[in-house]
Amino acid sequence: ASDVYKRQGKEISPNQLTKLLIKIIEDEKKSKPLSDQKIKKYLQEKYEVSIARRTVAKYRQQAQLLPSRLRS
C-alpha cells in the first residue's frame, strides 16, 4: 500500500506513522490508556497529522499493539 498522510504540509509515510503510534502508546499513562479516537485527536493536535480513527486502528493492529481496553 502506498498510503501517504499529510503532516504540516509534508507527507508522512505509513512507517513513520507506525513509529509515532508506538511512541504515543509507550508514553501514555498505563492507568488510563488512550483510545484510537483519542490517539487520532492527539496526532492531529500535536503533530498536525490528520487521519481517520479506523486508520489509527489499522496501524495499531499492524504494530501488534492491543486496543486501549486491553492495555491497562
Side-chain angles (χ1 to χ4, degrees):
S2 62
D3 298 331
V4 177
Y5 304 96
K6 294 286 183 190
R7 177 182 177 190
Q8 299 169 337
K10 300 183 190 91
E11 295 178 339
I12 181 170
S13 71
N15 196 25
Q16 291 170 306
L17 185 58
T18 301
K19 286 179 182 172
L20 211 48
L21 279 174
I22 291 168
K23 182 182 179 337
I24 290 167
I25 289 172
E26 283 177 349
D27 293 347
E28 73 188 358
K29 288 182 187 161
K30 299 303 172 207
S31 61
K32 198 170 181 201
L34 298 169
S35 67
D36 292 342
Q37 183 64 36
K38 287 184 179 153
I39 291 171
K40 169 199 179 298
K41 192 173 181 185
Y42 183 80
L43 282 168
Q44 198 159 12
E45 290 172 359
K46 183 159 184 183
Y47 297 99
E48 295 182 29
V49 174
S50 185
I51 58 173
R53 184 216 42 87
R54 66 181 178 276
T55 306
V56 171
K58 173 182 154 183
Y59 285 98
R60 178 184 46 72
Q61 288 168 348
Q62 285 179 358
Q64 298 180 337
L65 298 166
L66 295 170
S68 60
R69 68 182 188 280
L70 300 176
R71 285 200 310 267
S72 54

